[in-house]
Amino acid sequence: MSKIIEHKKQIVSDIAEKLQNSKSTVLVDYRGLDVDTVTNLRQQLREAGVDFKVYKNTMTRRATAEAELTDLDEVLVGPTALAFSADDAVAPAKIINNFAKENDALEIKGGVVEGNVATVAQLQELAELPDQDGLLSMLLSVLQAPMRNFALATKAVADQQEEQGA
């Protein structure tokens, strides 16, 4: 009996550690999805480096208490799967949100972003953000714009002086 309790305590501490250390965690209700669909979702999440697991709600509630995220307890009703990402805060929300658009049975319940409890609306806003590569390309475009404009202005002045000299 004590081995089982120790095992459950270990699972609770693992969940709490993942909740605290992940950049984002998304909680979903997967009722109504068939095995092939869930397997497809797991594959997409795995490719993005996201850990997708199903835990008992009682264990997750104990973990949220340990991680001081008890606001999540209200969404821990019915089947709940957790998607943890330690590297990318946007990836789980983006993948699950896109997947939920194609599969009405998948429902986002809530989550944690950077240690703060997030609502469904906040997770959907996060999902609409571009990924890291997209953000970097936007930043580079903004940084290059002044140089490009300066080069175009210089070329226009040079062309104008050339026409006046001819």
Side-chain angles (χ1 to χ4, degrees), residues 58 62 88 100 109 129:
T58 53
R62 290 176 189 231
D88 188 357
K109 293 179 158 186
L129 289 175

Side-chain angles (χ1 to χ4, degrees), residues 87-103:
D87 301 326
D88 188 357
V90 178
K94 183 177 283 299
I95 293 169
I96 290 173
N97 189 50
N98 291 341
F99 202 84
K101 287 178 184 176
E102 298 169 8
N103 300 284

